[in-house]
Amino acid sequence: MSTIAVVGTQWGDEGKGKAIDYLATRADVVVRAQGGNNADHSVVIDGKKYALHLIPSGILNPTAVNVIGNGVVFDPAGFFEELADLEKDGIDTKNLFISDRVHIVFPYHKVLDGLTEKAKGSSKVGTTNKGIGPCYMDKMARVGLRGCDMLDDELFRSKLSAQIDIKNDMIVKLYGEEPLNKEEILETYCDYAKRLKPYITDTSVLVYNAIREGKKVLFEGAQGTMLDIDLGTYPYVTSSHPVSGGFSTGAGISPRLLDEVIGIVKAYTTRVGAGPFVSEEDNEIGDKIREIGHEYGVTTGRPRRCGWLDLVVIRYAARVNGLTGISLMLLDVLDQFETINVCVGYDYNGQVLTDFPASLDVIGQSKPVYKELKGWNTPITGCRNYDDLPQEAKEYIAFIEEFTGVPVKIVSVGPDRDQTMVRAALFEK
Ligand code: IMO
Ligand code: MG
């Protein structure tokens, strides 16, 4: 097996960073293919926490090559900030390549992100305000600037200059706000372009050749299936394709080249921002999960909405991603419950739905159908082998496997690298 794709199965924040780190330490190449610095991937190594947003997690593995693929929206300001933080921590950042087809995030994208959200009022999405949506809008409108544009100073300046004029018109005439300082943006971003040149290349060729040579290539997903622009809870979604299909277009490789697709499942459910959430427990159960699981946004500090594990969602994610395995994260957060519920259906006016519906109205009016399982009610953070787990925890895992038809290949019981039980061969050294 040479390629593994890792996808979020829920609304993001499933603990992808940790599972990805396990695989990234064994990979030759690590590829990001969608999203941007709206992602928060935290990795804890020897008690030290690293926060990654745009740079692939393979950067913490000194021998891995890291690729930012064409499907990513690339924020140069965020990138250089992240790079500086890693270098300050003594991380070698040389092994890094950026696609010449990547779309660039500019300051006007971030401003427009905030303005469009404000205009939506109570129906706002609750975006991360990183300019993700407006940058993908420009890509689809065929007016975006790409990595390859940065390779020609003159061309880059003139294309950017024209875009700033158009966006300033929108900001002033449509939203009645002050225009952005054109000269300042031109100066800053022309300088970024010069500094980025050494990183920019045709990464589709790089990834293809690595796979052909039998190298271990890890595709690092950001966000989650329910935030997918097509398959998620639209319009409360991000603007990219966090599902496994997104790796093909976003890295510029054939879908036939993905050998294994691991779905990251948090042992319960959370979401940030607005949108329907059937198994939400907006009560003392949700509060207990939030406190034990430290469910607050890494960058924004926003409290996350919490609830029981929704297996309707996980079975849907298993189907649309073609999951070959599950990595079950944060199982220890459920250590202090007598009983644990899992959602096995949606009761919509007396009709039980088991396939995730498209309509937000239907989802919003659905009540969770719960199956009650016995809790283990004992700490499991010290378990290092699957056999050490209490019987009730094993039964919880077995129930997930049976309901989704996907084997649970990794179980995580804490943030540290050694709190990981691996039940299948994945990128063995
Ligand atoms: P990781 O990779 C959780 C959510 C935002 C918002 C919606 C749209 O850490 O799991 P955007 O800024 O992308 O236009 O916001 O998507 N969102 C995430 N939620 N984890 C993420 O990434 C997210 N990235 C975007 O909160 O509801
Ligand atoms: Mg997040």
Side-chain angles (χ1 to χ4, degrees), residues 120-315:
K120 283 180 186 162
S122 62
S123 56
K124 70 173 191 208
V125 177
T127 71
T128 59
N129 230 341
K130 304 278 186 192
I132 305 295
C135 186
Y136 278 118
M137 279 167 73
D138 275 1
K139 171 174 172 169
M140 293 308 173
R142 295 159 290 187
V143 295
L145 271 76
R146 298 184 298 161
C148 55
D149 294 320
M150 287 188 148
L151 300 174
D152 181 329
D153 297 346
E154 286 295 301
L155 193 74
F156 180 70
R157 196 183 176 86
S158 78
K159 280 190 177 178
L160 179 55
S161 171
Q163 273 307 308
I164 299 172
D165 288 342
I166 294 169
K167 296 305 192 296
N168 267 343
D169 256 4
M170 285 171 71
I171 291 168
V172 174
K173 293 180 186 158
L174 204 57
Y175 295 102
E177 297 284 336
E178 288 297 306
L180 300 180
N181 185 328
K182 181 171 168 179
E183 278 315 310
E184 198 178 295
I185 298 177
L186 281 173
E187 199 184 316
T188 310
Y189 281 75
C190 288
D191 178 54
Y192 282 150
K194 287 198 179 75
R195 290 165 65 194
L196 285 168
K197 275 181 196 171
Y199 297 99
I200 297 174
T201 187
D202 187 342
T203 52
S204 160
V205 173
L206 190 160
V207 175
Y208 177 73
N209 286 339
I211 296 174
R212 235 179 31 160
E213 287 161 21
K215 299 236 170 84
K216 293 174 188 153
V217 181
L218 174 67
F219 294 91
E220 171 176 357
Q223 289 79 50
T225 302
M226 303 316 286
L227 291 171
D228 186 279
I229 185 81
D230 271 84
L231 299 164
T233 43
Y234 189 90
Y236 298 103
V237 292
T238 190
S239 300
S240 68
H241 289 295
V243 294
S244 60
F247 290 118
S248 170
T249 52
I253 55 137
S254 160
R256 292 167 58 214
L257 294 175
L258 297 183
D259 295 325
E260 177 118 38
V261 183
I262 299 290
I264 310 299
V265 176
K266 178 141 74 177
Y268 47 93
T269 312
T270 63
R271 85 173 289 188
V272 273
F277 175 178
V278 175
S279 67
E280 180 169 18
E281 294 287 330
D282 191 10
N283 52 36
E284 63 287 356
I285 295 173
D287 293 345
K288 186 171 168 184
I289 293 175
R290 183 178 311 107
E291 290 319 307
I292 300 175
H294 311 292
E295 290 294 350
Y296 296 90
V298 183
T299 20
T300 56
R302 285 190 287 183
R304 295 178 183 145
R305 300 158 62 195
C306 298
W308 296 117
L309 180 61
D310 184 341
L311 285 177
V312 177
V313 164
I314 308 304
R315 186 151 68 181

Side-chain angles (χ1 to χ4, degrees), residues 13 38 40 304:
D13 305 326
N38 48 350
D40 277 319
R304 295 178 183 145

